[in-house]
Amino acid sequence: MWDPAKYLDYADLRARPFHDLVSRIAASSPRRVVDLGCGPGNLTVSLRDRWPGAALECGDSSPEMVTAARARGLDATVFDVRDWTPAPDTDVVVSNAVLQWVPDHDALLRRWAASLPSGAYLAVQVPGNFNAPSHALTRELAASPAWSARLADVVLREDDAVSSPLGYANLLADAGCAVDAWETTYLQPLRGENPVLEWITGTALRPVRAALADDEWDRFRAELAPRLASAYPTRPDGTTWFEFRRVFFVAQA
């Protein structure tokens, strides 16, 4: 289950990759703009503001997120991106931090590229930090004797969950698209108690939270917190630097 309020912790920092991605879309007057994985809709509204003349289609697999998006005035629906097919007038598709949750999404990207009208834009951003200490330490703790049996069925993302910019560029170029692909490592200035733990609680730790009872979840967090604090020390001024790599591409059919 996604928690929209928790996801919106550090909302400004989480929004940076979305805006960097969308800024590279050159569409001037798209007929239909789609946000695949709209979350609570806080970023989707910027698509509506940029292209007010376009039909705006958006949705998410989480009913909780869709409810939050609807509260912002968006006509959001619950759907699985694996089942989505572009309408004939779809000129812009945005997928922000979604496809890392979809195994074999390369096949999905090929299908979307083949289905989009000529000139349409497919803009995607995925996190590329699954080997970072934040994620490696989580996997290490989950695999420890104290937790391995309880979390045996939990799938935690590893680095092969996403490709490199070159991998995506080749995939979309082979599908006949013009491709702009890149990566950025953001140095996020976090503050507060256990800030990296709080950051990943809203995203990467969701599968762990879903598998554990409340008291177990509290224990897991309590064991993970000092590991993360050691890997991400807090400066004397109270800032904790959190490196976060992101992978982007904008493909034009």
Side-chain angles (χ1 to χ4, degrees):
M1 178 185 298
W2 282 93
D3 181 345
K6 189 64 185 176
Y7 182 79
L8 288 172
D9 284 352
Y10 307 110
D12 289 346
L13 295 178
R14 293 192 194 278
R16 290 175 65 193
F18 176 91
H19 293 303
D20 287 350
L21 175 70
V22 172
S23 71
R24 306 282 273 268
I25 301 173
S28 57
S29 301
R31 295 166 295 174
R32 177 178 298 271
V33 174
V34 182
D35 188 359
L36 298 176
C38 65
N42 58 306
L43 299 176
T44 312
V45 294
S46 70
L47 302 178
R48 180 181 60 192
D49 295 341
R50 177 174 173 182
W51 294 296
L56 181 59
E57 178 184 342
C58 62
D60 200 281
S61 62
S62 164
E64 295 80 15
M65 289 293 199
V66 167
T67 296
R70 288 174 177 167
R72 296 177 185 273
L74 297 167
D75 186 19
T77 59
V78 178
F79 63 69
D80 188 322
V81 295
R82 291 170 294 186
D83 300 326
W84 178 80
T85 299
D89 63 346
T90 301
D91 290 327
V92 173
V93 178
V94 177
S95 176
N96 182 62
V98 173
L99 294 184
Q100 73 275 11
W101 299 105
V102 181
D104 192 27
H105 58 260
D106 284 6
L108 199 59
L109 292 170
R110 291 189 192 95
R111 176 162 64 82
W112 291 347
S115 302
L116 287 169
S118 178
Y121 289 88
L122 173 59
V124 173
Q125 180 270 128
V126 288
N129 67 328
F130 299 110
N131 280 344
S134 54
H135 291 63
L137 290 169
T138 298
R139 292 193 299 268
E140 179 182 295
L141 180 59
S144 68
W147 294 103
S148 59
R150 190 69 184 85
L151 297 175
D153 296 329
V154 172
V155 177
L156 295 172
R157 301 275 81 82
E158 299 198 43
D159 210 42
D160 61 0
V162 301
S163 187
S164 64
L166 178 60
Y168 287 122
N170 280 329
L171 186 153
L172 274 301
D174 289 345
C177 298
V179 187
D180 177 16
W182 71 100
E183 66 177 67
T184 299
T185 297
Y186 296 90
L187 191 58
Q188 312 277 33
L190 307 184
R191 303 187 71 86
E193 186 177 1
N194 299 319
V196 175
L197 176 62
E198 296 303 327
W199 178 287
I200 65 173
T201 290
T203 51
L205 288 184
R206 285 193 318 107
V208 175
R209 178 65 186 99
L212 299 179
D214 290 348
D215 61 329
E216 295 173 319
W217 170 240
D218 290 341
R219 290 204 324 270
F220 188 90
R221 277 174 49 96
E223 292 180 30
L224 184 57
R227 291 168 165 83
L228 294 174
S230 178
Y232 300 95
T234 300
R235 287 172 40 82
D237 65 3
T239 300
T240 298
W241 294 116
F242 180 42
E243 288 185 292
F244 202 128
R245 174 177 174 259
R246 303 276 184 160
V247 176
F248 303 78
F249 67 82
V250 175
Q252 187 174 21

